[in-house]
Amino acid sequence: MLEDEYPDLDFIDIPTPSAMDRGEFLKLFGGGIFVLFTIGSPFTLKGQIGGGSRLPTDFNAFLRIGEDGKVTGFTGKIEMGQGVVTSLAQMLADELDVPLESVELIMGDTDLCPWDMGTWGSMTTRFFGPPFRNAAAEAKAVLLELAAEDLKLPISRLNVDAGVVFDKRNRKKQVTYAQLAKGKKIEKHIEQQPPVKNFSEFKLVNKPVLRRDAPEKVTGRAKFAGDIRLPGMLYARILRPPAHGAKLTSVDTSAVKDIKEAQVVRDGDLVAVLHKYPDVADKAIAKVKAKYDTPAMDVDDKTIFKHLLSAAKEEEIVASGGNLSEGRKASDSVFEEEYLNSYVAHATIETHTATAQIEEGRITVWASTQSPFGLKDEIAEELGMPSKDVRVITPYVGGGFGGKARNQQGVEAARLTKLTGKPVQVAWTRAEEFFYDSFRPAAVVKITSGITKSGKIALWDYGVYFAGDRGSEHFYDIPHHRTMAHGSGWQGGSGAHPFGTGPWRAPANNTNTFARESQMDIMASEAGMDPLEFRLKNLKNKKMRGVLEAAAKKFNWTPSKAPSGRGYGLACGTDSGTYVAHMAEVKVDKKSGKVLVKRVVCAQDMGLVINPEGAKLQVEGCITMGLGYALTEEVHFKGGEIYDRNFDTYEIPRFSWTPEIETVLIEAEDSPPQGGGEPAIVCMGGLIANAIFDATGARLYQLPMTPERIKDALQRD
Amino acid sequence: MEQTIRFTLNNKSRELKLDHERRLLWVLRTDIGLTGTKFGCGRGLCGACTVLVDEQPVRSCVYPISRARDKKVVTIEGLANNGQLHPLQKAFIEHDALQCGFCTPGMILNAYGLLRKNSQPTRQEIVQSMDRNLCRCGSYARIIKAVQTAGREMKGAK
Ligand code: FES
Ligand code: FES
């Protein structure tokens, strides 16, 4: 494979236009065929409406066939490792019948791409894929019309392969897309749904394709927000409070003058030092003396759960059926349990970064963000500028997982460039990253459930506090049940959390699946049944049964009541329309309390799989990352002060933790594609907890399952 | 204190006048403008900033530029040879051994250090020598395979 075949996404070369209208946009890109998507079209992004009241206006190009026959797709989505840079290109290339290499994507540029809510919730393929494919089908229809004219043949006589239209009866009679687009300026609006390919016609979709961004990423050519270099650029270090909620009372920046060329910027609460070298800016900010008023807060990582239970004001019924008191009567054994999980950081290896530039009153920000359009609005609002004067460009993002839906660093860089008139880069230190991260919220789940003598679940009374309701609804066959969500969910309500919380890869679902699947195993064990057999006995859902059976086959699961001493665990769940079942084998060192996860099998039903290789990569990533929140990851704090500042105290998974991972993707080409970036992480807490129980007979009710907690549980049980 | 420091960077000699205590990472990324070497933690804990100094992987975020004096520094940009990707780079592509790619330059250069000493490492040996390089996207399983593949190719080439 030639690395040169891949288009460099060179984010600097595109001129910074003033707010463009459609005409200017078309001019910028010269000739070719454009397929546009406009408001009122039946293909308004499904699932994106309602989340925001704003819809695309004016120009919203989806794709362009250039005069050289190359295809450019424009999307507000961004690439942060999840692989849409490959799967979206696959969809386009397949629908258009062009080689993958001739497709290029322009992503997350608010001047060039259609408005987008943000890249999260495993929604890119599910909701953005269909209109993107429609645009491609439309473009192909236009090309076929042109070709029919050119070759003087009816469209029914034509066929396409690799960007060449030819006569079905005489392959020599042909014309290329490039020839057809040459000298043309055609603008097409999607008005009616053009027919898209069905499964049997796919050439690229559903075939494994390697990551298209890899050649850039293994050579250091790939640009991230911190890699943007602009003439005269300064690096900023910003004065930070010691704790959330602390108020600046006095500041003395006089000692900064000892550092040559360091520039102090002060604007209200924003105190920053700028220098042409970031490491020197580091030294300079250390010279600033500041005093703060820090409110006393007692709550810490141990007392937080009590605090949360008392802070939960709102409540909402997520689902219910039957009658709980009848369920209780029908139960022969009743189990009342409480599950806890701690705050967890996103801890992407790339910290929040933004590079900003002001030119003729217009600000351009290159940012590591999952929501370029959200950032654009935030900047406009914070700086009191018209939103057309702000452009956000998203280079490659070095991991997101929900954390980069927050854009504070982008606003900071924009403010500083406006204040100084110079290009400014704000790249957070690791300590800043931990401090300002929007953690996955600490949460409590309370479950009361009951079973009959024959092992049928008769009662399910479920309440989740502060995690959020995603994944809280059970999928088992239970006659009397209720699911409640208390508190304000992962967004965090006032007074609930001492610092920011937010979405974290499959928000809420990790917590909910941990609690539900632990409870299932507790009941199975009490009923004297194998955990798989117990689940199947209480489960009608076909897809869930399918993934459980597929995982069991791959794992070679043999039935036994837990604890069997083998260290086998299982858990299943659903997220973003996808069904997953995991099985694992662990080894527990009872002396040290350490867990080694030896093997994990995951079966996933995600509907039509666009890129099976990419999907497996995501599953492996989910499993590996999920080991962290299951075993070690928890934010230590007191009040608004965050004790974790780097990877020494906050331990994320390493090479030595890596289990043998096997993934089974269920063939489901007839159902529409579902999410793939998040589902396989939701089972990890319950999976490991159940495997630890099977190995030792000790039940863990709190995440992460640290060696200390495991040793405590071993003593208790 | 400002000093003149000479070293070889990706096969070209360089001479810089700068404060000799500054860390190699920032000199590479800002003074020289080679941005392939990444910042992840600044304290030697993640390995994103790994480069080669005299063929040994070092963490450039804690490596004073003065120590690079008269030495050979290789960054990810200098690993390919005349446009020919290094076997490690090829193997990372072939195995999809990356996701966001932010840890990738450090992973590749750290693995280079291992393969130089041991071209046929076992899984256990790879895990041991890579264990202080962090990948939040969880690409470890594939990186292990990529390193093994590259080792085989390098041995075959000799
Ligand atoms: S940035 Fe140097 S080890 Fe993390
Ligand atoms: S690929 Fe994202 S950190 Fe390794």
Side-chain angles (χ1 to χ4, degrees), chain A residues 349 646-647, chain B residues 25 38-50 59-62 132:
Chain A
I349 305 296
N646 216 316
F647 294 119
Chain B
L25 171 66
K38 301 301 183 208
F39 163 83
C41 71
R43 278 187 38 207
L45 298 167
C46 75
C49 64
T50 305
R59 307 214 148 179
S60 64
C61 69
V62 289
R132 290 174 59 246

Side-chain angles (χ1 to χ4, degrees), chain A residues 142-205:
Chain A
V142 174
L143 287 158
L144 282 174
E145 269 171 44
L146 292 171
E149 239 169 77
D150 189 274
L151 300 171
K152 307 205 174 32
L153 287 168
I155 290 182
S156 58
R157 275 271 295 275
L158 302 177
N159 215 342
V160 191
D161 184 37
V164 181
V165 190
F166 58 89
D167 180 1
K168 281 180 191 163
R169 294 191 203 154
N170 174 8
R171 202 158 173 153
K172 287 212 191 86
K173 263 186 125 178
Q174 60 169 55
V175 59
T176 65
Y177 281 0
Q179 288 165 331
L180 291 170
K182 187 104 204 138
K184 302 266 176 22
K185 197 145 215 176
I186 299 177
E187 206 185 314
K188 260 286 195 187
H189 293 257
I190 307 181
E191 269 138 26
Q192 249 182 352
Q193 174 140 20
V196 292
K197 285 187 178 178
N198 60 39
F199 186 76
S200 63
E201 295 169 294
F202 288 142
K203 288 182 194 148
L204 283 165
V205 166

